[in-house]
Amino acid sequence: IYKDYLQSDFTIVHLEPSCFTAFIDDIPDLVQTDDAKKLKEKSMTFEDYLLSILDDTEIKWSSKTQDVLYHAHCHLKGEGMTNNVLKLLEKIPAIDAKLIDSGCCGMAGAFGYEEEHYEISMKIANQRLFPAIKEASDNTVIVANGHSCRCQIYDGLDKKAVHIAQLLETHLS
């Protein structure tokens, strides 16, 4: 059945950056088939998909002003794709978004939850990510598209970070 999908005109829209990079890097490298190449070609991040359709779509954004700090997932940093989230955030008139110069959050999937890695995980987060979030006002929204990044922020700072899809939902009129 999946071969029928590979032959059809569809896009795989990925919400999770690590899943996206698995489809564009890991699977094609490991499997090395035409099907794996097609999966790569059909894959897009959520923000890239929205950017591809927004110019042809009329959207009424709320006028609620909001400061946003964006923590880019390491997998997207590795692909040089961190600016696309900022480009999407710039489409919302009332948002002032800034990229956190944060490096890695330190979680790396489940790495930071393992007892032997917890201390190094926290050291990494405390280098740049946590200080940037602590400096932000309480009203600033933290956007982190990676699930493990959001967990690290919540567990380390007791502050909820959201996926860009959640932020966008709150700004639709």
PDB file of all heavy atoms in Angstrom, residues 48-76:
ATOM      1  N   ASP A  48       8.003  24.834   6.886  1.00  0.00           N
ATOM      2  CA  ASP A  48       8.243  24.959   5.446  1.00  0.00           C
ATOM      3  C   ASP A  48       6.953  24.769   4.662  1.00  0.00           C
ATOM      4  O   ASP A  48       6.702  25.463   3.677  1.00  0.00           O
ATOM      5  CB  ASP A  48       9.288  23.949   4.973  1.00  0.00           C
ATOM      6  CG  ASP A  48      10.698  24.373   5.322  1.00  0.00           C
ATOM      7  OD1 ASP A  48      10.912  25.561   5.622  1.00  0.00           O
ATOM      8  OD2 ASP A  48      11.594  23.507   5.296  1.00  0.00           O
ATOM      9  N   TYR A  49       6.149  23.811   5.097  1.00  0.00           N
ATOM     10  CA  TYR A  49       4.864  23.590   4.421  1.00  0.00           C
ATOM     11  C   TYR A  49       3.992  24.845   4.522  1.00  0.00           C
ATOM     12  O   TYR A  49       3.438  25.305   3.527  1.00  0.00           O
ATOM     13  CB  TYR A  49       4.146  22.376   5.007  1.00  0.00           C
ATOM     14  CG  TYR A  49       2.797  22.168   4.367  1.00  0.00           C
ATOM     15  CD1 TYR A  49       2.696  21.669   3.077  1.00  0.00           C
ATOM     16  CD2 TYR A  49       1.639  22.521   5.042  1.00  0.00           C
ATOM     17  CE1 TYR A  49       1.463  21.509   2.467  1.00  0.00           C
ATOM     18  CE2 TYR A  49       0.405  22.364   4.444  1.00  0.00           C
ATOM     19  CZ  TYR A  49       0.322  21.858   3.158  1.00  0.00           C
ATOM     20  OH  TYR A  49      -0.908  21.724   2.563  1.00  0.00           O
ATOM     21  N   LEU A  50       3.885  25.391   5.725  1.00  0.00           N
ATOM     22  CA  LEU A  50       3.059  26.593   5.880  1.00  0.00           C
ATOM     23  C   LEU A  50       3.604  27.753   5.063  1.00  0.00           C
ATOM     24  O   LEU A  50       2.848  28.491   4.435  1.00  0.00           O
ATOM     25  CB  LEU A  50       2.945  26.976   7.348  1.00  0.00           C
ATOM     26  CG  LEU A  50       2.067  26.081   8.198  1.00  0.00           C
ATOM     27  CD1 LEU A  50       2.001  26.597   9.627  1.00  0.00           C
ATOM     28  CD2 LEU A  50       0.672  25.945   7.630  1.00  0.00           C
ATOM     29  N   LEU A  51       4.918  27.923   5.064  1.00  0.00           N
ATOM     30  CA  LEU A  51       5.498  28.996   4.251  1.00  0.00           C
ATOM     31  C   LEU A  51       5.183  28.809   2.768  1.00  0.00           C
ATOM     32  O   LEU A  51       4.995  29.783   2.043  1.00  0.00           O
ATOM     33  CB  LEU A  51       7.010  29.068   4.462  1.00  0.00           C
ATOM     34  CG  LEU A  51       7.471  29.687   5.776  1.00  0.00           C
ATOM     35  CD1 LEU A  51       8.973  29.466   5.968  1.00  0.00           C
ATOM     36  CD2 LEU A  51       7.131  31.170   5.838  1.00  0.00           C
ATOM     37  N   SER A  52       5.096  27.559   2.334  1.00  0.00           N
ATOM     38  CA  SER A  52       4.823  27.294   0.908  1.00  0.00           C
ATOM     39  C   SER A  52       3.390  27.623   0.513  1.00  0.00           C
ATOM     40  O   SER A  52       3.116  27.842  -0.659  1.00  0.00           O
ATOM     41  CB  SER A  52       5.146  25.841   0.559  1.00  0.00           C
ATOM     42  OG  SER A  52       4.156  24.960   1.045  1.00  0.00           O
ATOM     43  N   ILE A  53       2.476  27.670   1.469  1.00  0.00           N
ATOM     44  CA  ILE A  53       1.068  27.940   1.130  1.00  0.00           C
ATOM     45  C   ILE A  53       0.557  29.281   1.649  1.00  0.00           C
ATOM     46  O   ILE A  53      -0.488  29.743   1.202  1.00  0.00           O
ATOM     47  CB  ILE A  53       0.133  26.817   1.639  1.00  0.00           C
ATOM     48  CG1 ILE A  53       0.129  26.743   3.161  1.00  0.00           C
ATOM     49  CG2 ILE A  53       0.498  25.480   1.010  1.00  0.00           C
ATOM     50  CD1 ILE A  53      -0.961  25.870   3.743  1.00  0.00           C
ATOM     51  N   LEU A  54       1.267  29.922   2.557  1.00  0.00           N
ATOM     52  CA  LEU A  54       0.751  31.139   3.191  1.00  0.00           C
ATOM     53  C   LEU A  54       0.535  32.290   2.228  1.00  0.00           C
ATOM     54  O   LEU A  54      -0.411  33.054   2.389  1.00  0.00           O
ATOM     55  CB  LEU A  54       1.657  31.585   4.328  1.00  0.00           C
ATOM     56  CG  LEU A  54       1.301  31.028   5.686  1.00  0.00           C
ATOM     57  CD1 LEU A  54       2.254  31.535   6.749  1.00  0.00           C
ATOM     58  CD2 LEU A  54      -0.120  31.293   6.079  1.00  0.00           C
ATOM     59  N   ASP A  55       1.393  32.457   1.262  1.00  0.00           N
ATOM     60  CA  ASP A  55       1.232  33.579   0.341  1.00  0.00           C
ATOM     61  C   ASP A  55      -0.043  33.471  -0.478  1.00  0.00           C
ATOM     62  O   ASP A  55      -0.569  34.480  -0.945  1.00  0.00           O
ATOM     63  CB  ASP A  55       2.454  33.711  -0.577  1.00  0.00           C
ATOM     64  CG  ASP A  55       3.676  34.195   0.184  1.00  0.00           C
ATOM     65  OD1 ASP A  55       3.514  34.810   1.251  1.00  0.00           O
ATOM     66  OD2 ASP A  55       4.801  33.941  -0.285  1.00  0.00           O
ATOM     67  N   ASP A  56      -0.552  32.265  -0.651  1.00  0.00           N
ATOM     68  CA  ASP A  56      -1.782  32.057  -1.412  1.00  0.00           C
ATOM     69  C   ASP A  56      -3.000  31.864  -0.509  1.00  0.00           C
ATOM     70  O   ASP A  56      -4.070  31.504  -0.982  1.00  0.00           O
ATOM     71  CB  ASP A  56      -1.637  30.812  -2.315  1.00  0.00           C
ATOM     72  CG  ASP A  56      -0.532  30.996  -3.332  1.00  0.00           C
ATOM     73  OD1 ASP A  56      -0.323  32.137  -3.785  1.00  0.00           O
ATOM     74  OD2 ASP A  56       0.125  30.001  -3.667  1.00  0.00           O
ATOM     75  N   THR A  57      -2.831  32.115   0.762  1.00  0.00           N
ATOM     76  CA  THR A  57      -3.898  31.874   1.733  1.00  0.00           C
ATOM     77  C   THR A  57      -4.144  33.147   2.520  1.00  0.00           C
ATOM     78  O   THR A  57      -3.209  33.762   3.026  1.00  0.00           O
ATOM     79  CB  THR A  57      -3.491  30.746   2.715  1.00  0.00           C
ATOM     80  OG1 THR A  57      -3.102  29.598   1.962  1.00  0.00           O
ATOM     81  CG2 THR A  57      -4.616  30.387   3.644  1.00  0.00           C
ATOM     82  N   GLU A  58      -5.407  33.513   2.610  1.00  0.00           N
ATOM     83  CA  GLU A  58      -5.741  34.694   3.409  1.00  0.00           C
ATOM     84  C   GLU A  58      -5.993  34.246   4.848  1.00  0.00           C
ATOM     85  O   GLU A  58      -6.854  33.410   5.110  1.00  0.00           O
ATOM     86  CB  GLU A  58      -6.988  35.384   2.859  1.00  0.00           C
ATOM     87  CG  GLU A  58      -7.265  36.698   3.546  1.00  0.00           C
ATOM     88  CD  GLU A  58      -8.414  37.437   2.913  1.00  0.00           C
ATOM     89  OE1 GLU A  58      -8.552  37.400   1.680  1.00  0.00           O
ATOM     90  OE2 GLU A  58      -9.181  38.051   3.671  1.00  0.00           O
ATOM     91  N   ILE A  59      -5.229  34.823   5.749  1.00  0.00           N
ATOM     92  CA  ILE A  59      -5.351  34.470   7.164  1.00  0.00           C
ATOM     93  C   ILE A  59      -5.577  35.734   7.958  1.00  0.00           C
ATOM     94  O   ILE A  59      -4.906  36.750   7.742  1.00  0.00           O
ATOM     95  CB  ILE A  59      -4.087  33.743   7.669  1.00  0.00           C
ATOM     96  CG1 ILE A  59      -3.926  32.420   6.943  1.00  0.00           C
ATOM     97  CG2 ILE A  59      -4.151  33.530   9.175  1.00  0.00           C
ATOM     98  CD1 ILE A  59      -2.700  31.645   7.312  1.00  0.00           C
ATOM     99  N   LYS A  60      -6.522  35.658   8.869  1.00  0.00           N
ATOM    100  CA  LYS A  60      -6.747  36.772   9.785  1.00  0.00           C
ATOM    101  C   LYS A  60      -6.027  36.453  11.086  1.00  0.00           C
ATOM    102  O   LYS A  60      -6.387  35.528  11.795  1.00  0.00           O
ATOM    103  CB  LYS A  60      -8.237  36.971  10.046  1.00  0.00           C
ATOM    104  CG  LYS A  60      -8.986  37.501   8.867  1.00  0.00           C
ATOM    105  CD  LYS A  60     -10.406  37.821   9.252  1.00  0.00           C
ATOM    106  CE  LYS A  60     -11.121  38.436   8.075  1.00  0.00           C
ATOM    107  NZ  LYS A  60     -12.453  38.906   8.459  1.00  0.00           N
ATOM    108  N   TRP A  61      -4.989  37.237  11.340  1.00  0.00           N
ATOM    109  CA  TRP A  61      -4.218  37.055  12.559  1.00  0.00           C
ATOM    110  C   TRP A  61      -4.794  37.926  13.657  1.00  0.00           C
ATOM    111  O   TRP A  61      -5.312  39.009  13.405  1.00  0.00           O
ATOM    112  CB  TRP A  61      -2.755  37.434  12.329  1.00  0.00           C
ATOM    113  CG  TRP A  61      -2.051  36.618  11.301  1.00  0.00           C
ATOM    114  CD1 TRP A  61      -1.664  37.029  10.058  1.00  0.00           C
ATOM    115  CD2 TRP A  61      -1.636  35.256  11.412  1.00  0.00           C
ATOM    116  NE1 TRP A  61      -1.029  36.005   9.396  1.00  0.00           N
ATOM    117  CE2 TRP A  61      -1.000  34.901  10.207  1.00  0.00           C
ATOM    118  CE3 TRP A  61      -1.742  34.301  12.407  1.00  0.00           C
ATOM    119  CZ2 TRP A  61      -0.470  33.647   9.971  1.00  0.00           C
ATOM    120  CZ3 TRP A  61      -1.212  33.039  12.181  1.00  0.00           C
ATOM    121  CH2 TRP A  61      -0.583  32.713  10.977  1.00  0.00           C
ATOM    122  N   SER A  62      -4.670  37.469  14.882  1.00  0.00           N
ATOM    123  CA  SER A  62      -5.098  38.284  16.013  1.00  0.00           C
ATOM    124  C   SER A  62      -4.136  39.457  16.152  1.00  0.00           C
ATOM    125  O   SER A  62      -3.019  39.437  15.650  1.00  0.00           O
ATOM    126  CB  SER A  62      -5.123  37.460  17.303  1.00  0.00           C
ATOM    127  OG  SER A  62      -3.814  37.271  17.790  1.00  0.00           O
ATOM    128  N   SER A  63      -4.572  40.475  16.859  1.00  0.00           N
ATOM    129  CA  SER A  63      -3.711  41.641  17.058  1.00  0.00           C
ATOM    130  C   SER A  63      -3.011  41.578  18.418  1.00  0.00           C
ATOM    131  O   SER A  63      -2.368  42.537  18.826  1.00  0.00           O
ATOM    132  CB  SER A  63      -4.539  42.924  16.946  1.00  0.00           C
ATOM    133  OG  SER A  63      -5.587  42.890  17.899  1.00  0.00           O
ATOM    134  N   LYS A  64      -3.117  40.441  19.084  1.00  0.00           N
ATOM    135  CA  LYS A  64      -2.481  40.268  20.396  1.00  0.00           C
ATOM    136  C   LYS A  64      -0.967  40.303  20.229  1.00  0.00           C
ATOM    137  O   LYS A  64      -0.380  39.448  19.575  1.00  0.00           O
ATOM    138  CB  LYS A  64      -2.930  38.934  20.998  1.00  0.00           C
ATOM    139  CG  LYS A  64      -2.274  38.603  22.320  1.00  0.00           C
ATOM    140  CD  LYS A  64      -2.827  37.323  22.918  1.00  0.00           C
ATOM    141  CE  LYS A  64      -2.290  36.107  22.195  1.00  0.00           C
ATOM    142  NZ  LYS A  64      -2.632  34.843  22.844  1.00  0.00           N
ATOM    143  N   THR A  65      -0.329  41.311  20.812  1.00  0.00           N
ATOM    144  CA  THR A  65       1.125  41.415  20.705  1.00  0.00           C
ATOM    145  C   THR A  65       1.784  40.417  21.658  1.00  0.00           C
ATOM    146  O   THR A  65       1.266  40.129  22.734  1.00  0.00           O
ATOM    147  CB  THR A  65       1.622  42.838  21.020  1.00  0.00           C
ATOM    148  OG1 THR A  65       1.231  43.181  22.343  1.00  0.00           O
ATOM    149  CG2 THR A  65       1.071  43.840  20.029  1.00  0.00           C
ATOM    150  N   GLN A  66       2.906  39.902  21.216  1.00  0.00           N
ATOM    151  CA  GLN A  66       3.573  38.882  22.010  1.00  0.00           C
ATOM    152  C   GLN A  66       5.053  38.819  21.655  1.00  0.00           C
ATOM    153  O   GLN A  66       5.417  38.868  20.485  1.00  0.00           O
ATOM    154  CB  GLN A  66       2.925  37.526  21.729  1.00  0.00           C
ATOM    155  CG  GLN A  66       3.130  36.509  22.790  1.00  0.00           C
ATOM    156  CD  GLN A  66       2.069  35.426  22.695  1.00  0.00           C
ATOM    157  OE1 GLN A  66       1.736  34.954  21.625  1.00  0.00           O
ATOM    158  NE2 GLN A  66       1.552  35.034  23.837  1.00  0.00           N
ATOM    159  N   ASP A  67       5.877  38.726  22.703  1.00  0.00           N
ATOM    160  CA  ASP A  67       7.298  38.470  22.507  1.00  0.00           C
ATOM    161  C   ASP A  67       7.506  36.967  22.486  1.00  0.00           C
ATOM    162  O   ASP A  67       6.937  36.238  23.306  1.00  0.00           O
ATOM    163  CB  ASP A  67       8.129  39.077  23.640  1.00  0.00           C
ATOM    164  CG  ASP A  67       8.157  40.587  23.588  1.00  0.00           C
ATOM    165  OD1 ASP A  67       8.058  41.141  22.477  1.00  0.00           O
ATOM    166  OD2 ASP A  67       8.286  41.213  24.654  1.00  0.00           O
ATOM    167  N   VAL A  68       8.326  36.510  21.540  1.00  0.00           N
ATOM    168  CA  VAL A  68       8.576  35.080  21.372  1.00  0.00           C
ATOM    169  C   VAL A  68      10.072  34.843  21.303  1.00  0.00           C
ATOM    170  O   VAL A  68      10.791  35.555  20.596  1.00  0.00           O
ATOM    171  CB  VAL A  68       7.909  34.547  20.075  1.00  0.00           C
ATOM    172  CG1 VAL A  68       8.302  33.108  19.800  1.00  0.00           C
ATOM    173  CG2 VAL A  68       6.398  34.688  20.152  1.00  0.00           C
ATOM    174  N   LEU A  69      10.529  33.860  22.051  1.00  0.00           N
ATOM    175  CA  LEU A  69      11.897  33.369  21.923  1.00  0.00           C
ATOM    176  C   LEU A  69      11.827  31.985  21.300  1.00  0.00           C
ATOM    177  O   LEU A  69      11.055  31.137  21.757  1.00  0.00           O
ATOM    178  CB  LEU A  69      12.583  33.273  23.295  1.00  0.00           C
ATOM    179  CG  LEU A  69      13.020  34.568  23.940  1.00  0.00           C
ATOM    180  CD1 LEU A  69      13.631  34.292  25.316  1.00  0.00           C
ATOM    181  CD2 LEU A  69      14.005  35.319  23.066  1.00  0.00           C
ATOM    182  N   TYR A  70      12.627  31.777  20.271  1.00  0.00           N
ATOM    183  CA  TYR A  70      12.617  30.507  19.548  1.00  0.00           C
ATOM    184  C   TYR A  70      13.926  29.758  19.793  1.00  0.00           C
ATOM    185  O   TYR A  70      15.009  30.271  19.526  1.00  0.00           O
ATOM    186  CB  TYR A  70      12.402  30.767  18.057  1.00  0.00           C
ATOM    187  CG  TYR A  70      12.739  29.611  17.153  1.00  0.00           C
ATOM    188  CD1 TYR A  70      12.172  28.358  17.358  1.00  0.00           C
ATOM    189  CD2 TYR A  70      13.623  29.775  16.096  1.00  0.00           C
ATOM    190  CE1 TYR A  70      12.493  27.295  16.526  1.00  0.00           C
ATOM    191  CE2 TYR A  70      13.935  28.724  15.257  1.00  0.00           C
ATOM    192  CZ  TYR A  70      13.371  27.487  15.478  1.00  0.00           C
ATOM    193  OH  TYR A  70      13.692  26.438  14.658  1.00  0.00           O
ATOM    194  N   HIS A  71      13.797  28.551  20.319  1.00  0.00           N
ATOM    195  CA  HIS A  71      14.948  27.655  20.472  1.00  0.00           C
ATOM    196  C   HIS A  71      14.914  26.656  19.316  1.00  0.00           C
ATOM    197  O   HIS A  71      13.989  25.860  19.183  1.00  0.00           O
ATOM    198  CB  HIS A  71      14.888  26.904  21.801  1.00  0.00           C
ATOM    199  CG  HIS A  71      15.865  25.758  21.861  1.00  0.00           C
ATOM    200  ND1 HIS A  71      17.231  25.960  21.902  1.00  0.00           N
ATOM    201  CD2 HIS A  71      15.681  24.424  21.845  1.00  0.00           C
ATOM    202  CE1 HIS A  71      17.834  24.782  21.923  1.00  0.00           C
ATOM    203  NE2 HIS A  71      16.917  23.833  21.884  1.00  0.00           N
ATOM    204  N   ALA A  72      15.928  26.701  18.472  1.00  0.00           N
ATOM    205  CA  ALA A  72      15.994  25.823  17.302  1.00  0.00           C
ATOM    206  C   ALA A  72      16.515  24.440  17.690  1.00  0.00           C
ATOM    207  O   ALA A  72      17.477  24.315  18.447  1.00  0.00           O
ATOM    208  CB  ALA A  72      16.890  26.436  16.233  1.00  0.00           C
ATOM    209  N   HIS A  73      15.882  23.436  17.163  1.00  0.00           N
ATOM    210  CA  HIS A  73      16.259  22.040  17.387  1.00  0.00           C
ATOM    211  C   HIS A  73      17.599  21.758  16.713  1.00  0.00           C
ATOM    212  O   HIS A  73      17.873  22.243  15.613  1.00  0.00           O
ATOM    213  CB  HIS A  73      15.168  21.143  16.796  1.00  0.00           C
ATOM    214  CG  HIS A  73      15.270  19.711  17.178  1.00  0.00           C
ATOM    215  ND1 HIS A  73      16.154  18.853  16.594  1.00  0.00           N
ATOM    216  CD2 HIS A  73      14.566  18.989  18.084  1.00  0.00           C
ATOM    217  CE1 HIS A  73      16.002  17.655  17.120  1.00  0.00           C
ATOM    218  NE2 HIS A  73      15.038  17.703  18.032  1.00  0.00           N
ATOM    219  N   CYS A  74      18.429  20.970  17.362  1.00  0.00           N
ATOM    220  CA  CYS A  74      19.768  20.663  16.828  1.00  0.00           C
ATOM    221  C   CYS A  74      19.726  20.038  15.437  1.00  0.00           C
ATOM    222  O   CYS A  74      20.591  20.313  14.609  1.00  0.00           O
ATOM    223  CB  CYS A  74      20.514  19.720  17.771  1.00  0.00           C
ATOM    224  SG  CYS A  74      21.021  20.504  19.299  1.00  0.00           S
ATOM    225  N   HIS A  75      18.729  19.197  15.184  1.00  0.00           N
ATOM    226  CA  HIS A  75      18.657  18.559  13.864  1.00  0.00           C
ATOM    227  C   HIS A  75      18.413  19.598  12.775  1.00  0.00           C
ATOM    228  O   HIS A  75      18.975  19.497  11.680  1.00  0.00           O
ATOM    229  CB  HIS A  75      17.577  17.493  13.845  1.00  0.00           C
ATOM    230  CG  HIS A  75      17.934  16.269  14.634  1.00  0.00           C
ATOM    231  ND1 HIS A  75      17.207  15.112  14.584  1.00  0.00           N
ATOM    232  CD2 HIS A  75      18.936  16.019  15.495  1.00  0.00           C
ATOM    233  CE1 HIS A  75      17.741  14.206  15.373  1.00  0.00           C
ATOM    234  NE2 HIS A  75      18.799  14.741  15.941  1.00  0.00           N
ATOM    235  N   LEU A  76      17.588  20.599  13.056  1.00  0.00           N
ATOM    236  CA  LEU A  76      17.369  21.644  12.056  1.00  0.00           C
ATOM    237  C   LEU A  76      18.592  22.541  11.927  1.00  0.00           C
ATOM    238  O   LEU A  76      18.902  23.015  10.837  1.00  0.00           O
ATOM    239  CB  LEU A  76      16.131  22.471  12.399  1.00  0.00           C
ATOM    240  CG  LEU A  76      14.800  21.733  12.289  1.00  0.00           C
ATOM    241  CD1 LEU A  76      13.640  22.683  12.533  1.00  0.00           C
ATOM    242  CD2 LEU A  76      14.640  21.035  10.950  1.00  0.00           C
TER     243      LEU A  76
END
